[in-house]
Amino acid sequence: MQTVSGPRPAPVMSQNWDLFRFFLAAARAGSIARAAGQLAESPATVGRKLRELETALSATLFDRSISGVELTSCGSRILASAEQMEHQARLISEAVSGNDGQLAGTVTVAAPSGLGQTLLAPQLRELHNLHPELRVKLLLSTGKVNLLNREADIAVRIGTPSQERLVGHKLGAVGFGIYASSLYLDEIGEFETAADLAGHNVIAASGDMAQTVQCQEFAGISERCNVALTTDSIFAQMEAVKSGLGIAPFPKYLGRSHPDLVELLPGQLQATADLWLLMHPDTSGMARIQTVQEFVTRICKTALAGN
């Protein structure tokens, strides 16, 4: 029997997956600092994990410089294998959770309240009929959920994403219009120019809603209007407009969903906002999450076809 002195390096396949997770993050980000932000770790931790992996493999995986990190030829050769490990880790996660790729379990979807109530909720019966073991939890609160902390599986958000680690795609651009009820128009007649808004009642926004692009643009052209109501709820705003109290700006998909509303001065509001669907990279490949995101994507893209 041969004897050896000193510790023997572990075979590559026995290395901790966690080290390869740091390797993939750095390779994709091109910077230890950016990888740290995506992993919610400190740059020192990311650097230490990379050195541990390089020591275990007896190889240099990155060329380091002031501008960032770049894969060496060795690092490039093992990149595909590391990505396969990542995929297998996801499959294991699904198996442990009892779902193993089956269309069963709960998928939490966070969305803006108006979009979730008007577009998503009425369509979920179709998804349920197709996959009765699949349950959707719809979060329509005004606060933004943290996908990296797994507060939701899928988020539909208005505006450009700020967290680089999230994965997803743009669903389209949301257009906006100025709306009044048929009842209100019966009393005051048609509008021809923005100047015709002077003296009319508006349902003004407050709180976070006042900072939206449509409310800010509308505020600039409705300075000579009477504020009949101020609210931080788009649903209260909508109900007030439908009652004939006044006029307000809404996303066009929302305005179109209420046949008793009429768009005033089409094209007057020029602002648009991108709508995104986002997911956590570690769970985006799960079968149940993929199924729900495809369903949500189809609904939103159809609704936004007319902007």
Side-chain angles (χ1 to χ4, degrees):
M1 181 178 68
Q2 291 183 323
T3 60
V4 295
S5 59
R8 298 168 60 183
V12 172
M13 292 304 294
S14 71
Q15 300 304 325
N16 189 339
W17 152 244
D18 188 59
L19 296 181
F20 286 96
R21 182 171 66 90
F22 282 84
F23 165 77
L24 286 173
R28 291 164 177 166
S31 156
I32 288 179
R34 284 195 293 271
Q38 294 171 3
L39 294 168
E41 300 280 0
S42 69
T45 297
V46 175
R48 176 171 55 80
K49 292 286 188 178
L50 295 179
R51 289 192 296 274
E52 286 182 22
L53 182 59
E54 289 178 322
T55 299
L57 298 177
S58 299
T60 301
L61 304 179
F62 292 97
D63 287 326
R64 295 161 171 81
S65 67
I66 296 176
S67 60
V69 294
E70 185 175 350
L71 287 171
T72 62
S73 58
C74 180
S76 297
R77 286 196 300 271
I78 72 169
L79 180 61
S81 297
E83 290 176 334
Q84 290 176 7
M85 293 176 67
E86 180 182 45
H87 176 67
Q88 291 300 318
R90 289 175 182 168
L91 294 180
I92 291 172
S93 177
E94 289 189 2
V96 170
S97 68
N99 295 315
D100 58 11
Q102 299 301 310
L103 296 183
T106 299
V107 177
T108 302
V109 179
S113 54
L115 184 147
Q117 180 168 314
T118 303
L119 297 185
L120 300 185
Q123 302 291 334
L124 288 176
R125 180 182 178 186
E126 176 188 344
L127 182 64
H128 176 75
N129 289 341
L130 290 171
H131 308 291
E133 299 299 317
L134 189 61
R135 295 181 297 277
V136 174
K137 181 179 180 181
L138 194 57
L139 301 180
L140 303 182
S141 60
T142 56
K144 183 179 290 187
V145 301
N146 190 326
L147 287 176
L148 295 179
N149 290 343
R150 308 294 175 85
E151 293 177 2
D153 300 304
I154 298 170
V156 180
R157 290 181 181 166
I158 295 177
T160 304
S162 58
Q163 292 175 301
E164 293 182 358
R165 191 184 173 198
L166 300 178
V167 298
H169 51 270
K170 189 170 82 169
L171 298 170
V174 179
F176 303 95
I178 304 169
Y179 290 88
S181 69
S182 300
L183 175 64
Y184 190 84
L185 291 179
D186 287 343
E187 296 177 357
I188 53 89
E190 297 292 330
F191 289 75
E192 295 183 0
T193 69
D196 294 333
L197 296 174
H200 286 285
N201 291 342
V202 297
I203 314 303
S206 62
D208 291 341
M209 193 167 68
Q211 306 306 313
T212 58
V213 292
Q214 74 271 21
C215 289
Q216 290 187 331
E217 185 178 7
F218 181 64
I221 63 174
S222 60
E223 294 177 341
R224 298 173 59 194
C225 294
N226 302 317
V227 177
L229 172 68
T230 301
T231 177
D232 64 352
S233 166
I234 195 170
F235 295 117
Q237 193 179 39
M238 174 65 72
E239 292 303 315
V241 170
K242 289 167 63 177
S243 76
L245 179 58
I247 62 180
F250 296 115
K252 288 189 176 182
Y253 67 77
L254 190 57
R256 286 193 297 265
S257 68
H258 295 274
D260 52 340
L261 294 186
V262 178
E263 184 180 0
L264 312 178
L265 307 173
Q268 180 66 48
L269 295 185
Q270 297 294 308
T272 61
D274 290 338
L275 188 69
W276 283 77
L277 183 144
L278 302 169
M279 298 170 288
H280 193 292
D282 293 347
T283 58
S284 62
M286 292 182 176
R288 65 183 185 277
I289 293 177
Q290 277 290 321
T291 298
V292 175
Q293 76 87 10
E294 290 170 2
F295 183 79
V296 171
T297 295
R298 175 171 59 83
I299 291 173
C300 291
K301 286 191 172 182
T302 299
L304 297 180
N307 207 15

